[in-house]
Amino acid sequence: MEVCRLVRRLLRLLLLLLHVVALLAVAGADGRGRRVAVVAGKESAVVRLRELEWGSSGKKKTKIQTPFAQARRAETTTAARTTTTVLELKHHSLAAISDHPAAQESYLRRLLAADEAQANSLQLRNMEVSTQSGQPGAAAAAAAEVPMTSGIRFQTLNYVTTIALGGSSSRAGNLTVIVDTGSDLTWVQCKPCSVCYAQRDPLFDPSGSASYAAVPCNASACAASLRAATGTPGSCASGGGNNSEKCYYSLAYGDGSFSRGVLATDTVALGGTSVDGFVFGCGLSNRGLFGGTAGLMGLGRTELSLVSQTASRFGGVFSYCLPGTISGDSTGSLSLGGDTSSYRNSTPVSYTRMIADPEQPPFYFMNVTGASVAGAAVTAAGLGTTNVLIDSGTVITRLAPSVYRAVRAEFTRQFSAHYPAAPAFSLLDTCYNLTGHDEVTVPLLTFHLEGGADMTVDAAGMLFMARKDGSQVCLAMASLSFEDQTPIIGNYQQKNRRVVYDTVGSRLGFANEDCSYGSI
């Protein structure tokens, strides 16, 4: 009898052990070696604080096999298959500023102030823009993948990629541009530049490109298309030594930034792919919050965006994967086209409806029906009542005041029990002193989207390190000023996620993906 009871106890212990092992297998690791715990069906993740540092990772560079290299070998595919070109997106170190804590704090405050101006400008544009252009039709699609990197060394928290203008005879070099889904017209600073901000790349020289041409005033791109893209139609002026009139554009942002110059066409190189006759702005007078970049790539919805201009080749589909770490050589990508062969998503892509607002034509909206923090649902008047803008050109997510208060309260309830509070930093009002911690467990925010799709913020997108010693680490979200303003999901909360924009199918897709591809 005693033996039977002992056997039953051993069986119960064995079953318990198997159950624990199963939980660990589910919770296990997130693909980057970080421990993950399942809380009420949703994830909380352990994040290493060094992943949040604004500086060099100190890791030795390794040459690994990346999708970029694979794509370059695949460029000799048959005509029936699509060509995929993969370009890098990296996070760069803060080599341009001092490692002194006060200098770094001042630097980050300036960058966050610039982001606040960008977010405010979107609210202004939401009220000003009132024209909608048509969407590109479906077409047999090719694919290209261009590298995107953090713009930190260009004095911007936005992501950047590299393009080249001009054909094979061009003497122009590479140009680093901000990738912005909230803008349409792609533009770069050009010679002869009457008023230009300092950029790290050489200025584009139109005289060095045999394929460069100014857009004439009677072209459709100078009237309705330019108005839809910028809010202002083109103006006409004589083109120097000939009698033709050039089309001049004027693009103003709500934060006071602007670009003005000649609307032109040229061949644009996106990694291993070239597009002829690409319409862009050749900026002769430019000012604003663009850091040291050469300009901006517009991935919005109107006719002059890169997405629309290349719809016949790429099918009006693009996606990106933003690297999670701030430092080192982390590499993400911008994929043009619907070819998923270069994706490395660890979960299936789940889709929600893409919403177009005729009065805000460049922007991509979706409906957020709910939210939860580590599985704990939050309730707020602002959830499910307004369209939410997803934007690669805004850094920090802005939520309606009622939603932000609810998210902050639940996050604080779970996080503050383990870590002491610290003073606010710039627009970030919920901060903690994590001094002495190499890693912390972070409850993750999940947005529940129309149609049943979910978007869970990666651990690297939950916290913003204001001080390198960990004494001031903040919840990386902020509140809008008013309940009726447009909520924005910024790029900081999109890290380590494959975000798919299907303009033909009118849908937005999300999947988990380790976006730190490494160097090649």
Side-chain angles (χ1 to χ4, degrees):
M1 195 70 179
E2 188 66 29
V3 173
C4 291
R5 284 198 295 270
L6 180 60
V7 170
R8 284 197 294 270
R9 289 175 182 170
L10 288 173
L11 286 174
R12 284 197 294 269
L13 286 171
L14 179 60
L15 289 173
L16 179 61
L17 179 61
L18 290 174
H19 181 65
V20 171
V21 170
L23 286 176
L24 289 174
V26 174
D30 65 353
R32 294 179 295 280
R34 296 190 306 205
R35 296 191 300 279
V36 175
V38 176
V39 180
K42 297 295 180 181
E43 289 182 345
S44 291
V46 176
V47 62
R48 298 186 180 96
L49 294 188
R50 69 178 303 163
E51 294 181 44
L52 307 176
E53 290 180 4
W54 301 93
S56 175
S57 65
K59 295 179 180 179
K60 182 179 179 181
K61 293 183 180 180
T62 56
K63 193 165 186 176
I64 64 174
Q65 193 58 41
T66 69
F68 305 119
Q70 295 167 5
R72 287 178 182 139
R73 289 201 308 274
E75 287 177 6
T76 57
T77 55
T78 63
R81 295 197 57 185
T82 62
T83 300
T84 300
T85 301
V86 184
L87 305 180
E88 294 180 323
L89 184 158
K90 293 182 180 178
H91 279 289
H92 295 280
S93 66
L94 291 178
I97 71 166
S98 169
D99 283 334
H100 191 277
Q104 194 165 120
E105 178 179 340
S106 175
Y107 178 82
L108 292 177
R109 286 185 183 277
R110 289 199 304 274
L111 294 182
L112 286 176
D115 188 54
E116 182 73 351
Q118 160 69 9
N120 289 337
S121 77
L122 290 179
Q123 304 298 333
L124 291 172
R125 289 171 65 190
N126 288 347
M127 295 183 288
E128 292 170 355
V129 181
S130 59
T131 308
Q132 172 71 24
S133 69
Q135 294 300 314
E145 197 151 342
V146 297
M148 292 172 65
T149 68
S150 165
I152 191 68
R153 71 184 175 96
F154 293 88
Q155 317 301 304
T156 174
L157 289 178
N158 289 311
Y159 287 86
V160 296
T161 193
T162 301
I163 64 173
L165 287 168
S168 58
S169 62
S170 174
R171 299 189 300 272
N174 290 336
L175 300 169
T176 302
V177 292
I178 294 171
V179 175
D180 188 6
T181 58
S183 297
D184 286 294
L185 183 67
T186 297
W187 60 268
V188 298
Q189 297 195 117
C190 290
K191 289 183 177 180
C193 199
S194 59
V195 177
C196 274
Y197 58 85
Q199 69 176 52
R200 296 179 69 118
D201 302 318
L203 290 174
F204 174 64
D205 186 357
S207 66
S209 172
S211 52
Y212 174 90
V215 171
C217 255
N218 59 0
S220 60
C222 190
S225 296
L226 194 57
R227 179 188 288 274
T230 67
T232 306
S235 59
C236 301
S238 176
N242 53 52
N243 295 324
S244 63
E245 287 190 317
K246 296 179 181 178
C247 176
Y248 286 81
Y249 74 93
S250 179
L251 177 57
Y253 300 90
D255 59 9
S257 303
F258 63 84
S259 176
R260 301 167 190 149
V262 177
L263 194 66
T265 63
D266 207 336
T267 299
V268 61
L270 306 164
T273 300
S274 294
V275 177
D276 296 329
F278 180 71
V279 181
F280 72 104
C282 196
L284 303 177
S285 178
N286 315 280
R287 276 287 182 269
L289 304 172
F290 309 111
T293 64
L296 182 145
M297 174 191 286
L299 292 176
R301 301 170 61 98
T302 73
E303 291 177 357
L304 291 186
S305 77
L306 186 143
V307 181
S308 298
Q309 289 194 60
T310 60
S312 61
R313 177 177 295 189
F314 301 127
V317 180
F318 71 96
S319 70
Y320 52 69
C321 195
L322 308 179
T325 57
I326 305 301
S327 57
D329 297 295
S330 298
T331 301
S333 66
L334 168 67
S335 301
L336 301 175
D339 185 357
T340 62
S341 62
S342 62
Y343 296 3
R344 303 195 314 180
N345 48 303
S346 58
T347 61
V349 180
S350 60
Y351 289 93
T352 189
R353 181 166 63 102
M354 178 189 290
I355 299 172
D357 186 341
E359 294 191 355
Q360 304 174 76
F363 302 136
Y364 298 95
F365 294 99
M366 59 186 180
N367 279 337
V368 175
T369 59
S372 57
V373 178
V378 299
T379 57
L383 281 172
T385 60
T386 58
N387 296 343
V388 175
L389 169 64
I390 182 166
D391 182 33
S392 70
T394 302
V395 181
I396 299 297
T397 288
R398 272 38 173 225
L399 301 175
S402 63
V403 178
Y404 178 71
R405 287 193 298 267
V407 168
R408 179 182 60 188
E410 183 56 37
F411 182 89
T412 301
R413 184 186 71 80
Q414 297 185 36
F415 200 69
S416 296
H418 307 285
Y419 309 105
F425 182 82
S426 184
L427 56 90
L428 307 177
D429 64 8
T430 305
C431 302
Y432 300 89
N433 186 343
L434 305 182
T435 305
H437 293 277
D438 293 326
E439 56 186 28
V440 295
T441 301
V442 186
L444 305 183
L445 170 65
T446 297
F447 294 105
H448 306 294
L449 311 176
E450 179 184 308
D454 282 347
M455 177 191 169
T456 299
V457 178
D458 186 72
M462 292 297 300
L463 298 176
F464 185 100
M465 181 174 282
R467 293 194 175 185
K468 193 172 182 179
D469 63 1
S471 63
Q472 201 173 16
V473 181
C474 307
L475 177 64
M477 298 171 202
S479 174
L480 293 167
S481 298
F482 305 103
E483 201 70 28
D484 61 352
Q485 288 182 299
T486 301
I488 307 169
I489 296 180
N491 63 48
Y492 201 86
Q493 281 66 48
Q494 298 176 47
K495 295 188 290 187
N496 282 329
R497 296 293 177 264
R498 174 64 59 175
V499 184
V500 182
Y501 295 72
D502 182 353
T503 65
V504 174
S506 294
R507 58 183 188 167
L508 289 160
F510 302 92
N512 296 354
E513 183 169 338
D514 182 354
C515 301
S516 299
Y517 290 158
S519 58
I520 62 173

